[in-house]
């Protein structure tokens, strides 16, 4: 899935979006399945030593502002 975000952040703070998405995905997996995935910095979710999810962010920005961020989250559901 991909979503377009327009955060009110400075470009140097953009990495918080990837981290927030990683935490949200790991928490959702835990809540729905009872399993305890780990976050492999900065953009992978690992479960039982296997990659369960990848997160990618791409940004369009100017010197001091972000125009938009595309946040992509891909979850491997058939492992």
């Amino acid at each position: 899935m991909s979503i377009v975000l327009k955060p009110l952040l400075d470009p140097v703070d953009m990495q918080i979006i990837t981290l927030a998405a990683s935490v949200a995905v790991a928490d959702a997996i835990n809540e729905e399945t009872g399993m305890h995935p780990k976050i492999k910095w900065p953009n992978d979710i690992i479960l039982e030593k296997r990659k369960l999810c990848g997160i990618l962010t791409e940004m369009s920005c100017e010197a001091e502002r972000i125009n938009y961020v595309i946040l992509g989250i891909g979850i491997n559901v058939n492992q």
Side-chain angles (χ1 to χ4, degrees):
M1 114 178 138
S2 295
I3 186 168
V4 177
L5 305 171
K6 294 188 176 186
L8 299 175
L9 295 172
D10 289 332
V12 297
D13 297 325
M14 204 276 293
Q15 71 275 4
I16 193 74
I17 294 172
T18 303
L19 181 58
S22 296
V23 170
V25 169
D27 285 350
I29 291 168
N30 176 257
E31 187 175 311
E32 292 298 318
T33 68
M35 297 178 184
H36 302 285
K38 306 288 187 223
I39 298 171
K40 182 179 175 187
W41 180 257
N43 59 347
D44 292 333
I45 305 295
I46 306 296
L47 182 64
E48 298 176 3
K49 299 182 182 179
R50 296 178 73 188
K51 183 175 176 178
L52 180 63
C53 174
I55 298 168
L56 177 66
T57 51
E58 292 190 24
M59 171 177 65
S60 169
C61 69
E62 296 173 24
E64 294 185 16
R65 77 178 188 103
I66 296 174
N67 296 321
Y68 62 87
V69 174
I70 300 173
L71 171 66
I73 300 173
I75 300 174
N76 301 322
V77 295
N78 292 322
Q79 285 191 20

